Amino acid sequence: MTDSPFGPGRRDALLIATGQYDDSTLSSLRSPRQDSAGLAGVLAEPGIGGFRTEQLTDARAHEVTRALERFFRDRSRDDLLLLHISCHGIKDDDGHLYFAARDTDRDLPASTAVPAAFLRGRMELCRARTIVVLLDCCYSGAFIPGSKGDDRIHVRDELGGHGRAVLTATSRTEYAWEGSRVESAVPEPSRFTGALIKGLATGAADLNGDGRITVTELYDYVYESLHRAGVRQRPRIWVDLEYQVTIARAVRAPAGGQDAGPREAAGPREAFVPPRPEAPPTAGAGGPEAGAAVSEVAPPGPEPSLLHRMREAFRGETGAGATGRTPFMAEPVAGAPAEADESYPRPRTRRGQDALIRLEVDLAEAAFGCTKEIAVRTAAVCAACSGTGGENGARPRECSDCRGRGLRLETPRRSTGAVLIGRPCPKCESHGTVLRRSCPACKGEGRVPADRALTLKVPGGIDKGTRIQLAGEGEAGPVGGPAGDLYVEIVVRPHSVFRREGDDLVCTMRIPRAVATAGGTLPLRTLDGSKTVRVPRGIRDGQSLRLPELGVTRLHAGGRGDLLIRVEVRD
């Protein structure tokens, strides 16, 4: 697909799912195969994502690394690449991130898992200027039934880069839940990927109604979906892109039979039942042999239609038995109560955007920790209306046109029965509420620009590129919505004498030949002050001396690294 409706260049997606593991310490996961199949179906749909998709399921580490290298090779600058990974996330003793494969030995991650550094290297060498990474792994806490992940991993440190967008299922201290039926072995989408699929398939992630779903809109939709569902995880996003990236077009539900395909996203959308991804094939039904890696390439095609496939796969979950009410249907059903789908009314209150600032520190401050005062200009709650958006603090009232549904119920043309369909209400813009008068200070936004001063405690041992998260210190959400998070990225200024290698400090020391031959002591100014270095007799040029516990504080682990002195013998 070299000339798609999305613009020049190819749109390729690689979906890597690992749910079965040879290592007994890595628990089996029910959702990855299901997630991969469902997301691939939505991305491949021409009227939605238009991606050429490739799936790799329960593969071994060398098969995953081969697929990643092949995926990022021979690309043009106009290509858009999307990578989805669903698996266990593990780390080594130095805190480096790895993605677990089927044959991963948790005690030997460097040789049996897929290093995040390898993925980062492939991304950095890739010519495509737009790469989107979706990670459905968690990186904190202990393994428990129904969750997946490992602790103390910060994905932005490992995968960030120019022209990249990284969406993760959780923050660094949460689990990535596979679904509500933790005690059951029934496959179902993970919370994170399930929300991705629904937002793309239904078009509900098109938050501004322009017919396009961008990376940031998709994140906002997923975050709010999990928040409304009461799920104990908070997705995160890190974006370094020069422009808004369109992941998909917002599809409208067909007004005809269930075999009708998706239509162009022009004009108002009709609400419909959210779909589920297809159940994975089994070995007994002619599917892949148990334990084998599955790689399948699926070029986008209209047959069978996405809506038909998704409804068949998800039949039963979204009906009245699952929610306690009859959801609003895409195909009108005679006599069925007309009630808004859970995507309507669209919330007026939303979470604020995350913010990023960069903070320069000296090597000594990074090594031992420090306290910094930082100034932030962001959006704060409007004092004039207390965040309501209404004049004098007045709150939004129910829209009289749609009666708070966010949808106006209409009888479609050529209808012969008692049928109602819902279309977005233009008066309230699908919010279900309207403001009698907007606050003049914030123009109805409930927030205004403001300068703030914060005190930041920088932990000892932090390194360049690491981002410190300050929860709730980002911009305030519209109309009283929760605030986003503030991320402070550390920039370490170069030191005139020392350089850092992990938790060790390294320097060069010139020693007179006479001292090198006979031995002796020499002074050295370190980050801890002046120290005396004992030079052993007969030391040679290029050898190193080690001063223990004079290096950098070990972040999260306690103790310190060493000071390594490289000797230069001079006459």
Side-chain angles (χ1 to χ4, degrees):
M1 188 174 61
T2 57
D3 190 14
S4 77
F6 295 94
R10 295 170 60 98
R11 293 170 63 87
D12 287 335
L14 173 63
L15 300 95
I16 298 173
T18 308
Q20 300 300 318
Y21 300 91
D22 298 337
D23 189 333
S24 60
T25 66
L26 295 170
S27 58
S28 296
L29 301 173
R30 303 187 309 277
S31 61
R33 179 190 289 266
Q34 190 84 350
D35 292 342
S36 179
L39 185 58
V42 176
L43 293 175
E45 194 69 27
I48 299 180
F51 283 87
R52 174 182 169 87
T53 65
E54 177 183 357
Q55 298 177 62
L56 190 65
T57 306
D58 291 338
R60 302 185 182 278
H62 73 275
E63 296 171 317
V64 176
T65 54
R66 182 187 293 270
L68 287 171
E69 184 167 11
R70 186 172 60 244
F71 183 65
F72 289 109
R73 284 192 62 185
D74 301 326
R75 295 296 183 176
S76 73
R77 283 186 53 79
D78 292 328
D79 289 349
L80 190 157
L81 307 181
L82 185 147
L83 174 66
H84 177 267
I85 299 178
S86 181
C87 66
H88 279 301
I90 62 177
K91 64 178 180 65
D92 62 16
D93 293 338
D94 294 322
H96 297 140
L97 171 63
Y98 297 84
F99 301 112
R102 183 182 181 89
D103 60 338
T104 292
D105 184 334
R106 189 173 180 181
D107 293 330
L108 302 171
S111 58
T112 63
V114 180
F118 173 83
L119 173 56
R120 183 182 62 231
R122 298 307 96 195
M123 292 167 59
E124 289 175 351
L125 293 174
C126 182
R127 293 189 67 246
R129 62 180 175 177
T130 307
I131 298 176
V132 178
V133 180
L134 308 175
L135 295 181
D136 199 348
C137 315
C138 58
Y139 311 100
S140 60
F143 289 116
I144 62 172
S147 72
K148 48 188 174 179
D150 202 12
D151 61 346
R152 292 193 310 190
I153 298 297
H154 198 308
V155 70
R156 179 58 181 85
D157 302 342
E158 297 286 342
L159 295 180
H162 182 69
R164 310 291 184 252
V166 181
L167 279 70
T168 67
T170 70
S171 72
R172 60 189 303 180
T173 59
E174 296 164 331
Y175 301 110
W177 295 93
E178 289 196 85
S180 58
R181 298 190 291 272
V182 173
E183 72 286 352
S184 169
V186 178
E188 60 177 311
S190 76
R191 296 290 196 175
F192 175 73
T193 302
L196 289 173
I197 294 170
K198 179 182 175 184
L200 294 171
T202 64
D206 176 22
L207 301 182
N208 62 6
D210 65 353
R212 302 183 307 124
I213 299 175
T214 65
V215 171
T216 52
E217 282 183 315
L218 185 59
Y219 165 73
D220 286 341
Y221 171 81
V222 171
Y223 186 99
E224 293 298 334
S225 296
L226 269 59
H227 177 71
R228 288 196 302 268
V231 179
R232 291 172 291 174
Q233 68 184 77
R234 294 187 300 169
R236 286 290 175 263
I237 183 173
W238 292 269
V239 176
D240 187 7
L241 296 169
E242 298 176 357
Y243 47 87
Q244 276 285 17
V245 175
T246 299
I247 294 293
R249 288 179 290 184
V251 65
R252 292 189 299 174
Q258 71 176 16
D259 287 330
R263 298 180 296 179
E264 292 293 326
R269 293 197 308 274
E270 298 169 0
F272 65 95
V273 179
R276 289 182 59 184
E278 299 178 15
T282 63
E289 183 178 330
V294 180
S295 180
E296 51 190 87
V297 177
E303 298 293 335
S305 77
L306 173 71
L307 300 182
H308 176 66
R309 293 198 314 269
M310 291 296 188
R311 284 194 189 90
E312 291 301 313
F314 268 73
R315 189 174 300 279
E317 178 184 352
T318 54
T323 63
R325 61 180 176 85
T326 303
F328 200 80
M329 300 291 181
E331 295 88 16
V333 178
E339 189 170 329
D341 176 74
E342 63 180 355
S343 296
Y344 294 90
R346 298 165 79 177
R348 185 180 296 275
T349 298
R350 301 191 308 276
R351 178 182 181 273
Q353 290 287 331
D354 293 344
L356 170 68
I357 63 173
R358 290 176 173 84
L359 175 66
E360 288 192 356
V361 297
D362 295 329
L363 179 60
E365 293 174 324
F368 307 136
C370 61
T371 300
K372 291 284 188 178
E373 299 293 328
I374 55 177
V376 182
R377 182 166 182 80
T378 183
V381 175
C382 176
C385 66
S386 301
T388 66
E391 187 178 29
N392 297 324
R395 296 188 175 276
R397 55 188 176 86
E398 184 180 280
C399 175
S400 58
D401 283 15
C402 67
R403 298 185 180 180
R405 293 188 181 94
L407 296 169
R408 289 202 314 189
L409 305 182
E410 304 174 359
T411 302
R413 296 176 181 176
R414 299 186 299 277
S415 174
T416 59
V419 177
L420 292 175
I421 65 172
R423 299 185 184 278
C425 176
K427 180 177 181 179
C428 65
E429 298 179 341
S430 301
H431 294 305
T433 58
V434 294
L435 288 168
R436 187 182 301 273
R437 292 186 182 86
S438 296
C439 171
C442 64
K443 305 297 189 294
E445 274 287 300
R447 55 184 185 172
V448 293
D451 293 315
R452 301 169 57 204
L454 299 173
T455 300
L456 175 69
K457 184 177 181 180
V458 179
I462 201 165
D463 204 355
K464 62 180 180 181
T466 303
R467 292 187 176 182
I468 301 173
Q469 177 189 0
L470 300 179
E473 298 293 352
E475 69 172 33
V479 197
D485 298 338
L486 174 65
Y487 290 88
V488 181
E489 184 173 288
I490 298 300
V491 179
V492 181
R493 289 188 287 265
H495 195 274
S496 59
V497 176
F498 301 103
R499 72 176 187 277
R500 180 173 176 174
E501 293 185 359
D503 293 328
D504 296 331
L505 292 175
V506 181
C507 70
T508 299
M509 184 177 188
R510 293 184 177 180
I511 298 177
R513 188 170 300 276
V515 176
T517 302
T521 59
L522 292 173
L524 176 66
R525 183 169 294 279
T526 71
L527 297 184
D528 292 86
S530 182
K531 299 292 181 181
T532 299
V533 179
R534 184 175 298 277
V535 181
R537 179 184 300 177
I539 193 169
R540 296 188 300 273
D541 184 71
Q543 287 187 301
S544 294
L545 301 174
R546 181 182 295 271
L547 301 184
E549 296 292 319
L550 289 180
V552 176
T553 302
R554 293 190 178 95
L555 187 64
H556 303 306
R560 293 175 60 181
D562 300 332
L563 174 59
L564 305 179
I565 305 171
R566 184 180 179 276
V567 172
E568 288 186 356
V569 178
R570 293 291 182 264
D571 292 326

